[in-house]
Amino acid sequence: MKTSGEAAAERLRQFIERVERLDEEIRGLTDDRKDVLAEAKANGFDARTIKTIIRLRQLDDNARQEAEAILETYKAALGIE
Amino acid sequence: MKTSGEAAAERLRQFIERVERLDEEIRGLTDDRKDVLAEAKANGFDARTIKTIIRLRQLDDNARQEAEAILETYKAALGIE
Amino acid sequence: MKTSGEAAAERLRQFIERVERLDEEIRGLTDDRKDVLAEAKANGFDARTIKTIIRLRQLDDNARQEAEAILETYKAALGIE
Amino acid sequence: MKTSGEAAAERLRQFIERVERLDEEIRGLTDDRKDVLAEAKANGFDARTIKTIIRLRQLDDNARQEAEAILETYKAALGIE
């Protein structure tokens, strides 16, 4: 039978290994994301603009249009054409 | 038959949706990671130290022991006990 | 006369204290930056749009207008009004 | 006399220019920090350990010693020598 110390060590190990497995999956998906953006770039698309579009698609239309209206107002106020 | 513009728009949409699906999976796994650390904390373990252990386990023994030896040397030099 | 170890320890301390002083200055300026944005917000301005404008002002006109043209093209392709 | 729109545009410009000046100072100090670490490295010191020492010096002795004790406990539990 395990001592309480051994049991605690075992539980600690399990928590650590669960986080490590998740980290590995996240690294894999992050690499996949880089590959997709590289593939898009190779197909003539602009990766930075794709990321901007993805941010915009996370906003609902009203929030996005309001943000764009404020930006246009500020650009005009500062003479940015 | 699609025009070249429509074909390009379709390919752009596919790239964007592939990245969005990866982003969603990454967000899910990142939330899972937080949950595991919260569960570890609820079980009396220290989340910050778990993260330090995970970083150490990514180093090979020599690199880790060398880093620890340098740290001890610097701590002694600066009077940090 | 200092031993070489003591001399090395002294030089190490100096490097560390120089970095610490810089860190402190950076923290101070970062706090000032937050204060200015909070003041702008209190005056009815939108902090997020101010940050976007600052990013845009770092681009030369051509680069900025090209980026905006690509964004408009992608938005139209994806039916984002 | 300025219209209210012109006055608002002027105040917006002032807020933006204040943030831009702070950003420039922060960039300068960040570059200085890199220079100091590069200088330390050129003098045979380990930049990563210097950063670790700086983090440790921000903790009071008790907090630091407690964190180190927990780390040693977890390392032993996981067989990390």
Side-chain angles (χ1 to χ4, degrees):
Chain A
M1 217 196 83
K2 284 185 189 166
T3 67
S4 69
E6 284 161 352
E10 188 48 35
R11 259 179 301 135
L12 174 61
R13 177 183 297 281
Q14 285 165 4
F15 281 122
I16 285 172
E17 286 172 354
R18 279 168 66 189
V19 176
E20 286 175 338
R21 278 194 299 274
L22 287 165
D23 284 348
E24 204 173 325
E25 279 189 73
I26 291 169
R27 275 192 295 269
L29 291 169
T30 306
D31 288 343
D32 293 348
R33 188 178 194 273
K34 278 180 201 147
D35 293 344
V36 173
L37 288 170
E39 194 186 327
K41 197 173 176 184
N43 275 269
F45 295 109
D46 182 64
R48 179 176 293 208
T49 310
I50 285 178
K51 291 177 196 171
T52 304
I53 290 281
I54 288 170
R55 273 199 307 274
L56 291 180
R57 282 166 51 113
Q58 290 177 327
L59 298 174
D60 70 62
D61 284 349
N62 291 334
R64 180 174 47 73
Q65 284 157 3
E66 194 195 326
E68 285 171 356
I70 298 173
L71 182 58
E72 290 313 312
T73 308
Y74 284 20
K75 279 168 69 180
L78 290 160
I80 300 173
E81 286 144 25
Chain B
M1 218 193 84
K2 285 184 188 166
T3 69
S4 69
E6 284 161 353
E10 188 48 35
R11 259 179 302 133
L12 174 62
R13 176 183 297 282
Q14 285 166 3
F15 281 122
I16 284 172
E17 287 172 356
R18 279 168 65 189
V19 176
E20 286 175 337
R21 278 194 298 274
L22 288 166
D23 284 347
E24 205 174 323
E25 279 188 75
I26 291 169
R27 275 192 295 269
L29 291 169
T30 306
D31 289 343
D32 294 347
R33 188 178 195 273
K34 279 183 202 142
D35 294 345
V36 173
L37 288 170
E39 194 186 326
K41 196 172 177 184
N43 275 269
F45 294 109
D46 182 65
R48 180 176 291 208
T49 310
I50 284 178
K51 290 177 197 170
T52 304
I53 289 280
I54 288 170
R55 273 200 306 277
L56 291 180
R57 282 166 53 111
Q58 289 177 328
L59 298 174
D60 69 63
D61 283 350
N62 292 335
R64 181 174 48 72
Q65 282 157 3
E66 194 194 326
E68 285 171 355
I70 298 173
L71 182 58
E72 290 312 312
T73 307
Y74 284 20
K75 280 168 67 179
L78 291 159
I80 300 172
E81 286 146 26
Chain C
M1 218 193 82
K2 284 184 188 167
T3 67
S4 67
E6 284 162 352
E10 189 47 36
R11 260 180 301 135
L12 174 62
R13 178 183 297 280
Q14 286 165 2
F15 280 123
I16 285 171
E17 287 172 355
R18 280 169 65 189
V19 176
E20 286 175 337
R21 278 194 299 273
L22 288 166
D23 284 348
E24 205 172 324
E25 278 189 75
I26 292 169
R27 274 192 296 268
L29 292 169
T30 306
D31 288 344
D32 293 348
R33 188 177 195 273
K34 279 182 201 144
D35 294 344
V36 173
L37 288 170
E39 193 186 327
K41 196 172 175 184
N43 276 269
F45 294 109
D46 182 65
R48 180 177 290 208
T49 309
I50 285 178
K51 290 177 197 171
T52 303
I53 290 280
I54 288 170
R55 273 200 306 277
L56 290 180
R57 282 166 52 113
Q58 291 176 328
L59 298 175
D60 68 63
D61 283 349
N62 292 336
R64 180 174 47 74
Q65 282 157 4
E66 194 194 327
E68 285 172 356
I70 297 173
L71 181 58
E72 290 312 314
T73 308
Y74 284 20
K75 280 168 67 179
L78 290 159
I80 300 173
E81 286 146 25
Chain D
M1 217 193 80
K2 282 184 189 166
T3 67
S4 68
E6 285 162 353
E10 188 47 34
R11 259 179 301 136
L12 174 61
R13 177 182 298 279
Q14 286 165 2
F15 281 123
I16 283 172
E17 286 172 355
R18 279 168 67 189
V19 176
E20 285 175 336
R21 279 194 299 273
L22 287 166
D23 283 348
E24 206 173 322
E25 280 189 73
I26 291 169
R27 274 192 295 268
L29 291 170
T30 306
D31 288 343
D32 293 348
R33 187 178 195 273
K34 277 182 202 143
D35 293 344
V36 173
L37 287 171
E39 194 185 327
K41 196 172 176 184
N43 276 269
F45 294 108
D46 182 64
R48 179 176 293 208
T49 310
I50 285 178
K51 291 178 197 171
T52 304
I53 289 280
I54 287 171
R55 273 199 306 277
L56 291 180
R57 282 167 50 113
Q58 291 177 326
L59 298 174
D60 69 62
D61 283 349
N62 291 335
R64 180 174 48 72
Q65 282 156 5
E66 192 195 327
E68 285 172 356
I70 297 173
L71 182 58
E72 290 312 314
T73 307
Y74 285 20
K75 279 169 65 179
L78 291 160
I80 300 173
E81 287 146 24

